[in-house]
Each structure stands twice: as structure tokens, then as C-alpha cells.
Amino acid sequence: MNILDKFHHWRRKQRWNRQYKSGRWDSLENEIESARYLQIIEFLKTNTIPNPTILDIGCGHGVLNQRMLDSSYSYKSFTGLDFSKVSIEKAITKNYPDSKFLTADVITYQPDQKFDAIIFNEAFYYIHETEKLNVLERMLEHLNENGVLVNSIYREGLGCWEYFKEHPKLIEKGYTKVTTQVDKTYWHVGAYIKS
């Protein structure tokens, strides 16, 4: 990224911190979002081993973790990652079992373990175009063989899906549009196995 892109990236982080502090993203807990989270969980259930190790990139304040507990989906460990310090502080206060939450930028984040499942949770389209492939490759290095990579994107996610659909190490196992009764509020969610 050039210096201007780095500045905009820094500004985005500041904006997300302000928004999490003001409660702007508490709406992620609303029922309108539940279908998307449940689709992610369904892809995990059908494509991973029982009790997987999970990395949730763009975890916010831990809503996916809460949805997993609500649906009795069990995991061995859950690592939540977000570059908003405020969202991670909120997630930590929830004391989810077998979970840890990290404030980090996915562009530079180096996992310290391998995972059975990695989720880009409304996060991939925020990665700068020049860094998308680098981030995906680094995450694939930390995904176990036959592990699942799930990508959830609001609306179309232009400039994102080709990284998953055309990657030689990924086999698509599911791709769906999650719709709601609210006009223009929908997501695409895809699941890919590392081959």
C-alpha cells in the first residue's frame, strides 16, 4: 500500500473504534443478522471435523461466538481477530468459553497455530486490493489440510469472490445468498475446502 492508502487504512480503524464505542455495531446482534451467522455455522457443521479450532477474522465483539453457543455448536478453541480495539475489549468482557480475542490487523497478523476453520466475517472486502492475495495465502498456510475457509460478504462483494473461486488450493463446497425481508439487505456466504 502507498502512503495515502496506509493513511486511509488508519482512519478506517479510528472510525471503527468510534463506532463500536458508540454502540453502532450492536445491531450485529439483531435477528436480521442471525440467518447469516447460522449459515456460517451450517457450513462449519457440514465441512469441518467435530470440535474444530476456529479463527474468526473480523469478529467484532464476538457475535459469531455467541451464535455458536446459542445453537449448541461446540468447538475446541475459538480465536477472534479484529483491528478495532474497542470491539475486542467488548468481546473479552463476555468471557466466552475456550476463546481468546486479539486486536490485530489481518494485513500483518501472523497466526501462532493452525486452524480447522478460518472465517472471513464481513472482513475480506475491507482488505486493500494490493494485500488481498497476500492475506489469503498467509491464512491458507495456517489452515489445516481439508480445513474449511468460510467467507461472508454483504451484498455482492465485487473484487472478492474471484480470490476464493479461482484459487488452485480451494474447492468450493457451498455458496449461497442469505436474504432477509429488508430490501437490499442480503449476504453471500461461501465455504471452501483446502486441498
Side-chain angles (χ1 to χ4, degrees), residues 121-134:
N121 196 345
E122 303 300 301
F124 198 76
Y125 44 56
Y126 288 113
I127 300 169
H128 192 273
E129 191 62 36
T130 61
E131 297 295 333
K132 283 184 172 130
L133 185 57
N134 295 334

Side-chain angles (χ1 to χ4, degrees), residues 1-2 13 17 47 58 94 105 112 123 126 135 138 160:
M1 290 191 298
N2 63 37
K13 184 189 301 187
N17 280 328
N47 293 293
K94 299 184 186 257
D105 188 334
D112 60 2
Y126 288 113
V135 169
R138 188 174 342 107
C160 294

